[in-house]
Amino acid sequence: MRSSQYLLSTVKETPADAEVISHKLMLRAGMVRRVASGMYTYLPTGVRVLRKVEQIVREEMNKAGAIEVLMPMVQPAELWQESGRWDKMDAELLRFKDRHTRDFVLGPTHEEVITDLVRREITSYKQLPLNLYQIQTKFRDERRPRFGVMRAREFLMKDAYSFHLSQDSLQQTYDAMYQAYCNIFSRLGLDFRPVLADTGAIGGSMSHEFHVLAASGEDAIAFSDESDYAANIEMAEALAPAGERAGATQALAEVATPNAKTVADVAALLQQDMALVSKTLIVYAAKADDKAAQTLVALVLRGDHELNEIKAEKLPQVQSPLVFASEEEIRAAIGAGPGSLGPVGMPLPVIVDRSAAHLADFICGANKDGYHLTGVNWDRDIKDYSVADLRNIVEGDTSPCGKGKLVIKRGIEVGHIFQLGDRYSQALKAGVLNEEGKHQIMTMGCYGVGVSRIIAAAIEQNHDDYGIIWPDAIAPFQIALIPMNMHKSARIEEATVRLYNELTAAGFEVLFDDRKERPGVMFADMELMGIPHSIVVGERNLDNQQVEYKNRRSGEKEMLDIAAVVDAMAQKLAK
Amino acid sequence: MRSSQYLLSTVKETPADAEVISHKLMLRAGMVRRVASGMYTYLPTGVRVLRKVEQIVREEMNKAGAIEVLMPMVQPAELWQESGRWDKMDAELLRFKDRHTRDFVLGPTHEEVITDLVRREITSYKQLPLNLYQIQTKFRDERRPRFGVMRAREFLMKDAYSFHLSQDSLQQTYDAMYQAYCNIFSRLGLDFRPVLADTGAIGGSMSHEFHVLAASGEDAIAFSDESDYAANIEMAEALAPAGERAGATQALAEVATPNAKTVADVAALLQQDMALVSKTLIVYAAKADDKAAQTLVALVLRGDHELNEIKAEKLPQVQSPLVFASEEEIRAAIGAGPGSLGPVGMPLPVIVDRSAAHLADFICGANKDGYHLTGVNWDRDIKDYSVADLRNIVEGDTSPCGKGKLVIKRGIEVGHIFQLGDRYSQALKAGVLNEEGKHQIMTMGCYGVGVSRIIAAAIEQNHDDYGIIWPDAIAPFQIALIPMNMHKSARIEEATVRLYNELTAAGFEVLFDDRKERPGVMFADMELMGIPHSIVVGERNLDNQQVEYKNRRSGEKEMLDIAAVVDAMAQKLAK
């Protein structure tokens, strides 16, 4: 492609309305333009990257035995009413009426449509398992779209849905998808991690997120520094501290702690480490039935640890979703305010985090405003309590896999695989005749990749002060061919055109910058666009029958014999 | 692909709700399923064809210098208000509000979005010409969607838009698109014709439609039997009859024609050919200004010819769109009813069709109820009249190109190229600095291909009693590999699997029908799906190290040595 016949649309100035680096660089490199809030036109450079990502995803899905379909973006309300999501989903589900005033939605996802299709098409266990996918435009009416294509309203997604009669079969397809996703992100050239994820409110039994690692990522992920273990920080188990708990050495004593409202205040006042001060949080207890009066539960953690709400609400004793008791409710139940609570003499059930349960001679509130207890010891001072994993992990914790310490990194979620179970198949009565000839509801998996989001994530991970640094596999062009002052030198032009023809004939995707621009402008544009390999044709080197090669990522330069360029590029791009 | 790992979804019964053959066959062959009125899910077989069509369109667009972009499906109302189409378009333009009650539309086309993009990105004549295209999902809320994907509400389209500063430049890109479209439809393997089309209400100067010829086509197209000339029947010029008009031989005479209400009645009564009886139609005249009183014009045609309304309303004397005068208005102006009108003594301006103007000694109404005139002759009996092309062509007319006679065939419109002019660029003030440094509004072309519609059109053109007959280039699979009773014969299985591996290794797309079905069921399915080449592996032929090849289109069978199959297929598919 010659620049003069292309739409470069690079921009020097950093756009004011872009908050994150990928958004800024996608605007500056001429990849996207905003049409409305959360809606973008992909310019030619953006489309080239998008199509490459799409094609890699498609190839790996096909290889894993998934079959491509294409469902409509506009979906009839009836299916969403049948699944119950018509009422459950908020305004993110964009609803509208057609000319005959029938209700429709713009599809944010396709569980309903695919389940409806499969219940009509598939009648026998012989046709299972089945894994159908599509690469298709989605719409989610986000309240606050931002970060460019990272969180857009209209976006391109690969969504797959699998159907099974047994958990074993679901697990097999799930594993195949896990592997396919690893292949996809490896081929894309991204540093990524599959992490154990929470299955959330939808239910389901197993879920992994795929994160592209980037300092700017929205999500925190915990890794072992010695094994493959990785989990969303909300999911990572905090193990009990190793070894026996120390024995009690102090007597229980009450101390006045006026004006000490926080753990930090108490620790400072008593000149102790925050890890030795426990904190007690009061939450709603799970109810046996709807009519039972609301009761409360006390959760106890070390003062330097954070409650993990997802872990807490999964406990059978605790109401889900989690509700914190008000100060009024706390006073009514315990007779003291939130700043002075503790497990000693607590009139509520007590659940203690594993780390807090390992403390000896610790400090807690006295359940009496303005007082704390010191020298507190489990079993001696508190008889009735249970122990659970209640906290967020912190860096340095032992990895739940048993090998290594946990480190925390940030990631951008670009894929999600999920064992759905029968949430949708049950609602839509999607069943088949099983081997015994009986009607059986299918079990489902779903598998998503944010195709357009990957582009933003790739840039968050791969950029420098000069612009984007594309991995070879998804670069808009593989090679930038830059002649120096071609419009003044027939010799430069002749050499560059010949090289361009040779390289394109060899199958390389070359952007030949034939604009009448100063070399500096051309270099800056090619670097901003992130083209991984560049070749500069200049007068002086031409005297030696050479051109200069530069690697965008390493910055390394080398001289290449002009006759050897095609071979050299084949080697570099095969890496 | 093995059938057992694929979603065949073929159906024996002809679906009751499908009106046209392509819709029936797409349902029966497992290509699409209806989700809602005018909305379809493409099943795997449908997607495979769709992606092939898409890729051929993409390659030819790229080759012609067009650059791919991708615009959002959801578009802000502001742009449609700016172009004026927000008010002008009827309910086909689906309007809705987002969560913040802002107005949006589902894009039926993208003139507004692309013109907005270009006015922001392009500032100088140096960046022109520019031709941008996308392959993208469109939505038109048709009042009565039908014929399956032929007239769906949601559909896939390739739309391109070009920008220029001169008519010459527009014409060059238009010509390149014309050629690209010819390449596309040739590569698709379809019998098609580019035809001159009416530019319609949008204005613009030049337009061609590309039609796939099929007996079931909605549109009539006129061709020369000796040249490349082809035009939409509405556009085809009817030339003046050759030679001098015959001289007058009869005297003008009035005859009573009571109860003769039509041309056919008059011809029968007077025992003359309908071609010798003229008919006179009264329509509204064009007004000089809005306040002028409405006047009328008389149009005169041969009794055996049909008025072409598009030709009529393009005349400067006639109001556009065409309005026929009521009987009341006709009586008030002429003093006789519609059945007795004629040009002799007509008090209105008279415009005569070229063929009617070539008549001598002809018959017309006497402008007196119940009477006609015979022996009428132009110039002698009617002095004041003008001549124009007013009629639809008929088979046998001389081709407007001067070579050959016209024949009429039916076609399905699958592409349309159009010189838009400044309709949108003017409304959106899309201009650039020209060579003189002055701001100049751009001129535009637009170029559409109905990607999903092509599939239906291809089937309308290529099918028989057994199902679809795909052209090689867009077949869902190139080869059907059918083993006879494989599940009872290890030898058959071994030979078929080896052949399958060889053929797929050689790059062929093979559907290996490994189902436990009777041969008849497999043959019927492969024929229904239209796979162009099939290879049957049977016990008897295997004794001779042979398999049977069958061509779907010709029905011809031949025996192939099993060792020569790959070469034979390469030859057949290279054709």
Side-chain angles (χ1 to χ4, degrees):
Chain A
M1 178 67 70
R2 284 167 177 258
S3 297
S4 61
Q5 286 159 23
Y6 188 66
L7 186 62
L8 274 187
S9 280
T10 50
V11 179
K12 267 211 199 80
E13 302 73 33
T14 297
D17 57 335
E19 297 170 70
V20 294
I21 190 72
S22 58
H23 190 193
K24 286 175 190 166
L25 288 175
M26 286 182 79
L27 291 169
R28 287 194 53 212
M31 293 184 67
V32 292
R33 289 295 180 265
R34 181 182 181 279
V35 174
S37 171
M39 282 169 240
Y40 292 87
T41 286
Y42 284 77
L43 296 179
T45 302
V47 168
R48 294 180 74 95
V49 178
L50 193 70
R51 296 284 176 233
K52 289 194 177 182
V53 175
E54 188 182 327
Q55 190 53 27
I56 288 174
V57 171
R58 175 173 289 122
E59 287 172 11
E60 293 299 327
M61 290 302 291
N62 289 345
K63 211 187 288 176
I67 318 175
E68 188 173 0
V69 297
L70 181 63
M71 291 177 264
M73 180 159 173
V74 173
Q75 307 177 5
E78 288 77 12
L79 292 174
W80 290 75
Q81 285 153 354
E82 205 176 342
S83 77
R85 290 207 286 185
W86 176 261
D87 293 319
K88 260 184 213 153
M89 281 188 72
D90 67 7
E92 194 177 293
L93 179 66
L94 194 140
R95 299 155 175 93
F96 65 91
K97 288 179 192 295
D98 75 354
R99 67 189 295 158
H100 302 298
T101 70
R102 291 199 198 92
D103 285 313
F104 287 88
V105 307
L106 276 188
T109 173
H110 280 72
E111 281 85 359
E112 282 81 359
V113 176
I114 197 83
T115 307
D116 175 56
L117 176 78
V118 168
R119 74 176 160 181
R120 290 163 195 267
E121 292 303 314
I122 303 297
T123 53
S124 159
Y125 71 95
K126 291 180 196 164
Q127 296 167 282
L128 298 181
L130 184 66
N131 189 7
L132 300 173
Y133 79 96
Q134 64 176 350
I135 298 176
Q136 192 251 15
T137 303
K138 301 271 182 284
F139 194 93
R140 286 184 194 163
D141 202 358
E142 298 261 3
R143 178 183 298 277
R144 214 185 134 211
R146 53 192 171 143
F147 306 152
V149 303
M150 186 89 87
R151 186 165 296 176
R153 292 204 277 179
E154 185 171 326
F155 57 97
L156 193 65
M157 187 168 163
K158 187 285 296 175
D159 45 331
Y161 308 89
S162 70
F163 295 83
H164 314 267
L165 275 189
S166 71
Q167 175 61 29
D168 272 5
S169 168
L170 170 57
Q171 187 66 45
Q172 270 179 32
T173 298
Y174 185 88
D175 292 344
M177 285 295 99
Y178 183 100
Q179 188 54 52
Y181 277 39
C182 289
N183 296 347
I184 287 168
F185 296 112
S186 297
R187 279 187 63 189
L188 292 172
L190 299 175
D191 186 12
F192 72 97
R193 291 290 186 290
V195 305
L196 264 172
D198 178 47
T199 50
I202 321 180
S205 44
M206 171 68 109
S207 175
H208 280 89
E209 292 167 358
F210 287 75
H211 284 262
V212 166
L213 300 184
S216 57
E218 284 188 296
D219 296 312
I221 308 160
F223 299 88
S224 164
D225 60 2
E226 286 181 22
S227 82
D228 281 344
Y229 178 85
N232 191 306
I233 199 168
E234 292 162 341
M235 276 293 286
E237 186 181 0
L239 298 181
E244 287 280 295
R245 188 175 66 207
T249 63
Q250 301 176 9
L252 188 66
E254 191 178 278
V255 292
T257 50
N259 306 323
K261 298 205 185 307
T262 66
V263 168
D265 293 344
V266 175
L269 184 72
L270 304 181
Q271 293 183 299
Q272 292 288 350
D273 195 284
M274 275 174 66
L276 211 62
V277 182
S278 73
K279 61 183 172 191
T280 301
L281 305 166
I282 311 298
V283 299
Y284 278 23
K287 288 198 247 182
D289 59 71
D290 282 353
K291 283 166 207 148
Q294 186 62 58
T295 58
L296 304 175
V297 179
L299 306 177
V300 181
L301 293 106
R302 255 171 47 178
D304 60 337
H305 284 156
E306 290 294 327
L307 176 70
N308 180 313
E309 299 192 11
I310 290 174
K311 291 178 180 176
E313 68 192 15
K314 280 192 181 157
L315 295 175
Q317 305 97 314
V318 172
Q319 178 175 305
S320 173
L322 198 71
V323 181
F324 287 93
S326 67
E327 177 161 357
E328 202 169 44
E329 289 169 323
I330 292 172
R331 287 199 177 278
I334 307 170
S340 306
L341 303 177
V344 181
M346 170 63 66
L348 304 176
V350 172
I351 307 174
V352 189
D353 177 64
R354 288 166 171 171
S355 293
H358 201 256
L359 295 175
D361 298 334
F362 67 97
I363 299 159
C364 68
N367 296 327
K368 190 164 120 187
D369 284 338
Y371 288 88
H372 275 74
L373 301 175
T374 62
V376 184
N377 282 279
W378 298 105
D379 299 322
R380 186 192 73 184
D381 306 320
I382 311 122
K383 297 278 191 293
D384 199 13
Y385 65 98
S386 60
V387 177
D389 174 17
L390 283 180
R391 68 174 175 93
N392 282 332
I393 59 98
V394 293
E395 281 217 329
D397 278 347
T398 302
S399 171
C401 69
K403 277 184 69 178
K405 300 282 178 201
L406 288 180
V407 291
I408 294 177
K409 289 195 182 175
R410 303 203 70 81
I412 300 164
E413 187 193 331
V414 287
H416 198 166
I417 60 176
F418 206 99
Q419 297 191 8
L420 268 181
D422 63 0
R423 160 77 181 84
Y424 295 93
S425 46
Q426 193 66 259
L428 273 74
K429 303 274 175 294
V432 297
L433 291 183
N434 64 17
E435 279 195 74
E436 289 81 46
K438 284 188 188 150
H439 189 265
Q440 186 183 333
I441 294 294
M442 289 177 274
T443 185
M444 291 172 60
C446 71
Y447 317 94
V449 167
V451 175
S452 41
R453 191 165 220 239
I454 282 174
I455 299 177
I459 295 173
E460 291 289 339
Q461 186 180 81
N462 298 279
H463 66 270
D464 63 13
D465 291 347
Y466 303 102
I468 303 167
I469 306 174
W470 288 113
D472 284 349
I474 55 175
F477 296 94
Q478 298 170 313
I479 301 169
L481 183 59
I482 310 172
M484 310 272 280
N485 303 311
M486 181 177 86
H487 298 276
K488 293 177 196 155
S489 159
R491 184 172 160 239
I492 295 277
E493 178 167 13
E494 190 266 341
T496 312
V497 168
R498 200 174 50 219
L499 211 47
Y500 177 62
N501 291 339
E502 284 174 14
L503 286 166
T504 49
F508 295 109
E509 294 168 298
V510 184
L511 182 59
F512 172 9
D513 201 348
D514 64 346
R515 292 176 295 168
K516 275 191 192 171
E517 290 282 4
R518 284 180 296 108
V521 171
M522 298 199 281
F523 293 145
D525 274 348
M526 298 301 113
E527 292 202 319
L528 173 59
M529 289 172 69
I531 302 178
H533 308 276
S534 64
I535 294 169
V536 180
V537 183
E539 288 281 2
R540 203 149 3 124
N541 293 324
L542 221 47
D543 289 342
N544 306 322
Q545 293 296 307
Q546 286 192 316
V547 293
E548 189 184 76
Y549 164 84
K550 185 174 174 188
N551 186 289
R552 174 69 182 91
R553 189 174 293 271
S554 68
E556 282 166 34
K557 294 179 180 185
E558 74 186 272
M559 300 306 300
L560 296 176
D561 286 343
I562 203 161
V565 167
V566 170
D567 286 348
M569 296 315 300
Q571 269 194 353
K572 288 179 195 299
L573 277 153
K575 267 177 204 164
Chain B
M1 178 66 71
R2 284 168 177 258
S3 296
S4 62
Q5 285 159 23
Y6 188 66
L7 186 62
L8 273 189
S9 281
T10 49
V11 178
K12 267 211 200 77
E13 302 73 32
T14 297
D17 57 335
E19 296 169 70
V20 294
I21 190 73
S22 59
H23 190 193
K24 286 175 190 166
L25 288 175
M26 287 183 78
L27 291 169
R28 287 193 53 212
M31 293 184 68
V32 292
R33 290 294 180 264
R34 182 183 181 278
V35 174
S37 172
M39 283 170 239
Y40 292 86
T41 287
Y42 283 78
L43 297 178
T45 302
V47 169
R48 294 180 75 95
V49 177
L50 194 68
R51 296 286 176 232
K52 290 195 176 182
V53 175
E54 188 182 326
Q55 190 53 26
I56 288 174
V57 171
R58 175 173 289 121
E59 287 172 11
E60 293 299 327
M61 290 302 291
N62 290 345
K63 211 186 289 176
I67 318 176
E68 188 173 359
V69 298
L70 182 62
M71 293 176 263
M73 180 161 174
V74 173
Q75 308 177 5
E78 288 77 11
L79 291 175
W80 290 75
Q81 286 155 353
E82 205 176 342
S83 77
R85 289 208 287 186
W86 176 261
D87 294 319
K88 261 185 213 150
M89 279 188 73
D90 66 8
E92 194 177 292
L93 179 67
L94 196 141
R95 300 155 173 92
F96 65 91
K97 288 179 190 297
D98 74 354
R99 68 188 297 158
H100 301 298
T101 69
R102 290 199 199 92
D103 285 312
F104 287 88
V105 308
L106 276 188
T109 174
H110 280 71
E111 280 84 1
E112 282 81 359
V113 176
I114 196 83
T115 307
D116 176 55
L117 176 78
V118 168
R119 73 174 162 185
R120 291 163 194 269
E121 292 303 313
I122 302 297
T123 52
S124 158
Y125 72 95
K126 291 180 196 163
Q127 297 166 282
L128 298 181
L130 185 65
N131 188 6
L132 300 173
Y133 79 96
Q134 63 176 349
I135 298 176
Q136 192 252 15
T137 303
K138 302 270 181 285
F139 194 92
R140 286 184 194 162
D141 203 358
E142 299 260 2
R143 178 184 298 277
R144 215 187 133 208
R146 54 193 171 140
F147 307 150
V149 302
M150 185 89 86
R151 184 165 300 174
R153 291 204 278 178
E154 185 170 325
F155 57 96
L156 193 65
M157 188 167 162
K158 187 285 297 174
D159 45 331
Y161 307 89
S162 70
F163 295 84
H164 314 267
L165 275 190
S166 70
Q167 174 62 28
D168 271 4
S169 168
L170 169 57
Q171 186 67 45
Q172 269 178 32
T173 297
Y174 185 88
D175 292 344
M177 285 295 99
Y178 183 100
Q179 188 55 52
Y181 276 39
C182 289
N183 296 347
I184 287 168
F185 296 111
S186 297
R187 279 187 62 189
L188 292 172
L190 299 176
D191 186 11
F192 73 97
R193 291 290 186 289
V195 304
L196 264 172
D198 179 47
T199 50
I202 321 180
S205 45
M206 172 67 110
S207 173
H208 281 89
E209 292 168 357
F210 287 75
H211 284 262
V212 167
L213 300 184
S216 58
E218 284 189 294
D219 295 312
I221 309 160
F223 299 89
S224 165
D225 60 2
E226 286 180 23
S227 82
D228 281 344
Y229 178 85
N232 192 306
I233 199 169
E234 293 162 341
M235 274 293 286
E237 187 182 358
L239 298 181
E244 288 281 292
R245 187 175 68 206
T249 65
Q250 300 177 6
L252 188 69
E254 190 177 280
V255 290
T257 49
N259 306 321
K261 297 203 185 310
T262 66
V263 168
D265 294 344
V266 173
L269 182 72
L270 303 181
Q271 292 183 298
Q272 293 287 352
D273 196 282
M274 277 174 66
L276 210 63
V277 181
S278 73
K279 60 182 171 188
T280 301
L281 305 165
I282 310 298
V283 300
Y284 278 23
K287 287 197 249 183
D289 59 73
D290 281 354
K291 283 167 206 151
Q294 184 63 60
T295 57
L296 304 175
V297 179
L299 307 177
V300 181
L301 292 105
R302 257 171 47 178
D304 59 336
H305 285 156
E306 292 293 327
L307 176 71
N308 180 313
E309 299 193 10
I310 291 175
K311 290 177 181 178
E313 68 192 14
K314 280 193 181 157
L315 296 175
Q317 305 97 313
V318 173
Q319 178 174 307
S320 173
L322 198 71
V323 182
F324 287 93
S326 66
E327 180 164 351
E328 203 170 44
E329 289 169 322
I330 292 172
R331 286 195 178 280
I334 308 170
S340 305
L341 303 177
V344 180
M346 170 64 64
L348 304 177
V350 172
I351 307 173
V352 189
D353 175 64
R354 289 166 172 173
S355 294
H358 201 256
L359 295 175
D361 297 335
F362 68 97
I363 299 158
C364 68
N367 296 326
K368 187 164 123 188
D369 285 338
Y371 288 87
H372 276 73
L373 301 175
T374 62
V376 184
N377 282 279
W378 298 105
D379 299 323
R380 186 190 74 184
D381 307 320
I382 311 122
K383 297 277 190 294
D384 198 12
Y385 64 97
S386 61
V387 177
D389 175 17
L390 283 181
R391 67 172 174 95
N392 282 331
I393 59 97
V394 293
E395 282 216 330
D397 276 348
T398 302
S399 172
C401 69
K403 276 185 69 178
K405 299 283 178 199
L406 288 179
V407 292
I408 294 176
K409 289 194 182 176
R410 301 203 71 82
I412 300 164
E413 186 193 332
V414 287
H416 198 166
I417 60 177
F418 205 98
Q419 297 191 6
L420 268 180
D422 64 0
R423 160 79 183 80
Y424 295 94
S425 46
Q426 192 66 260
L428 273 75
K429 304 272 174 294
V432 296
L433 292 184
N434 64 18
E435 279 194 74
E436 287 83 47
K438 284 190 188 148
H439 189 265
Q440 186 183 334
I441 295 294
M442 289 178 273
T443 185
M444 293 172 60
C446 71
Y447 319 94
V449 168
V451 175
S452 40
R453 191 167 219 240
I454 282 174
I455 299 177
I459 295 173
E460 292 289 338
Q461 186 180 81
N462 298 279
H463 66 271
D464 62 13
D465 290 348
Y466 303 103
I468 302 167
I469 305 173
W470 288 114
D472 284 349
I474 55 175
F477 297 93
Q478 298 170 311
I479 301 169
L481 183 59
I482 309 170
M484 310 275 278
N485 303 310
M486 180 177 88
H487 298 275
K488 293 176 196 155
S489 160
R491 185 173 161 235
I492 294 277
E493 177 166 13
E494 190 267 339
T496 313
V497 168
R498 199 173 51 216
L499 210 48
Y500 176 62
N501 291 339
E502 285 175 14
L503 286 166
T504 49
F508 294 109
E509 294 168 299
V510 184
L511 182 59
F512 171 10
D513 201 348
D514 64 346
R515 292 176 295 167
K516 275 190 192 169
E517 291 282 3
R518 285 178 297 108
V521 171
M522 299 198 280
F523 293 146
D525 275 347
M526 298 301 112
E527 293 203 317
L528 173 59
M529 290 172 69
I531 302 177
H533 307 277
S534 65
I535 294 169
V536 181
V537 183
E539 287 283 358
R540 201 141 13 116
N541 293 323
L542 221 47
D543 290 340
N544 306 321
Q545 293 295 307
Q546 287 192 316
V547 293
E548 188 184 78
Y549 164 83
K550 186 176 174 187
N551 185 288
R552 173 71 181 89
R553 188 176 292 270
S554 68
E556 280 165 35
K557 296 179 178 184
E558 75 186 270
M559 300 306 301
L560 296 176
D561 287 342
I562 203 161
V565 167
V566 170
D567 285 348
M569 297 315 300
Q571 271 195 349
K572 287 177 195 299
L573 277 152
K575 269 175 202 168

